[in-house]
Amino acid sequence: MDDVQQLFRRHTYTAKFSVAFFYGVLVSIAVNFFWTPGHIYSSGATGLAQLINTLTGRYAPVQITTALGLFLINVPLFVLAWKQIGKSFTVFTFICVVFASTMIRVIQPVHLTTDPIICAIFGGAVNGYGTGFALKNSISTGGLDIIGIVVRRKTGRSMGSINMAFNSLIVISAGFVYGWPYAFYSALGLFVNAKVIDMTFTRQQRMQVMVITSRPKTVIDSIQNHMRRGITIVHGAEGAYHHDEKTILFTVITRYEMDALEVAMEEADPKAFVSISDTVKVLGHFYEPKW
């Protein structure tokens, strides 16, 4: 059993290592292929690192590269993640940031286009997918991801909206450095980035599930074997067609758990009626797995 657990743990670590490398490649493409040629600022720590690179290049005797700035900005956030989120999470965040900084330095800029609208949209989409994919696999990309996770746990806000709230400084800075039209281009890139994050990172999207079944105990056991979710039971329901006795079950899951729910229902009661709808807000305790 110990050998199996060690093999599973090794496989998990290898997968996360690969995801971190994949993110590093994507963020370097976003920065070097789109944002830098188009004079577009990214969100969060990457955008702040770009700003430091620009300002030190203009006004300081030594220019701090975007890659180095990205790593230095994340150093105090590693401490926050270690204390508030978890040790394993922090280690893989460190690896992810190292990959990102290295890839930005290693992969040389390719000037596909300098059109600021194209650069804003495609840079935001590429970076947003990389960030969302990393978060989906329980890896933080550092920067605002760490702050966003801590704030989301306390407020329930989505990662995308948290990023948008923190990025007004980046937009204003783009206006002062490159001119106000580029502030609007950067805002467009940030909007695309946030939307793609929310589309990819589905763990934050909550959904209400209503199950109408004649086999409630089997369904409850199956759902709770596949995921950690509380279930509310309503007895005494009646089907209008056959007038047979039914039980209604209510629970709230994340969109990330949709596949697990479908497997659980197929195992427990394939004939059950299941209705799933988006949930705007949840008050009270809602379990979220630790990173």
Side-chain angles (χ1 to χ4, degrees), residues 5-20 87-89 91-92 95 99 139:
Q5 291 178 345
Q6 289 180 359
L7 180 63
F8 178 77
R9 189 178 298 110
R10 190 178 304 124
H11 173 74
T12 302
Y13 289 165
T14 302
K16 287 188 174 184
F17 196 83
S18 301
V19 170
K87 297 179 180 178
S88 176
F89 173 90
V91 169
F92 282 106
I95 293 172
F99 271 133
I139 298 178

Side-chain angles (χ1 to χ4, degrees), residues 38-93:
H39 300 304
I40 304 299
Y41 281 149
S42 171
S43 63
T46 306
L48 183 57
Q50 289 177 281
L51 177 62
I52 292 173
N53 173 253
T54 302
L55 294 179
T56 54
R58 291 185 181 183
Y59 306 113
V62 178
Q63 184 176 21
I64 299 177
T65 65
T66 301
L68 177 60
L70 179 62
F71 181 80
L72 294 177
I73 291 167
N74 276 282
V75 171
L77 297 176
F78 292 148
V79 178
L80 176 66
W82 186 274
K83 293 181 178 180
Q84 296 292 328
I85 302 175
K87 297 179 180 178
S88 176
F89 173 90
T90 307
V91 169
F92 282 106
T93 300

Side-chain angles (χ1 to χ4, degrees), residues 183-196:
F184 296 115
Y185 296 141
S186 294
L188 174 62
L190 295 177
F191 177 80
V192 173
N193 182 75
K195 289 301 180 182
V196 175

Side-chain angles (χ1 to χ4, degrees), residues 27-45:
V27 72
S28 67
I29 291 174
V31 171
N32 293 334
F33 290 21
F34 297 105
W35 286 331
T36 299
H39 300 304
I40 304 299
Y41 281 149
S42 171
S43 63

Side-chain angles (χ1 to χ4, degrees), residues 188-244:
L188 174 62
L190 295 177
F191 177 80
V192 173
N193 182 75
K195 289 301 180 182
V196 175
I197 288 175
D198 283 344
M199 289 171 59
T200 309
F201 180 46
T202 56
R203 186 173 293 178
Q204 71 204 10
Q205 300 172 21
R206 298 168 183 177
M207 312 185 74
Q208 180 175 280
V209 180
M210 179 183 71
V211 179
I212 301 176
T213 178
S214 56
R215 304 172 61 185
K217 187 178 186 308
T218 305
V219 171
I220 291 171
D221 290 341
S222 183
I223 291 176
Q224 293 185 333
N225 283 337
H226 284 84
M227 64 190 78
R228 182 176 173 178
R229 292 295 167 215
I231 298 174
T232 299
I233 306 171
V234 180
H235 294 290
E238 179 183 347
Y241 188 74
H242 292 292
H243 297 283
D244 48 352

Side-chain angles (χ1 to χ4, degrees), residues 12-24 85 88-99 129-142 145-146 149 159 201 203 256 290-291:
T12 302
Y13 289 165
T14 302
K16 287 188 174 184
F17 196 83
S18 301
V19 170
F21 176 78
F22 180 64
Y23 166 75
I85 302 175
S88 176
F89 173 90
T90 307
V91 169
F92 282 106
T93 300
F94 176 81
I95 293 172
C96 200
V97 171
V98 169
F99 271 133
Y129 179 77
T131 302
F133 184 73
L135 290 169
K136 186 176 181 179
N137 287 274
S138 301
I139 298 178
S140 165
T141 59
D145 291 347
I146 296 173
I149 291 168
M159 292 294 296
F201 180 46
R203 186 173 293 178
Y256 182 78
K290 294 183 178 180
W291 293 73

Side-chain angles (χ1 to χ4, degrees), residues 255-270:
R255 190 176 294 274
Y256 182 78
E257 296 170 316
M258 278 285 294
D259 291 340
L261 175 69
E262 291 178 5
V263 171
M265 292 307 305
E266 186 65 28
E267 290 178 357
D269 187 3

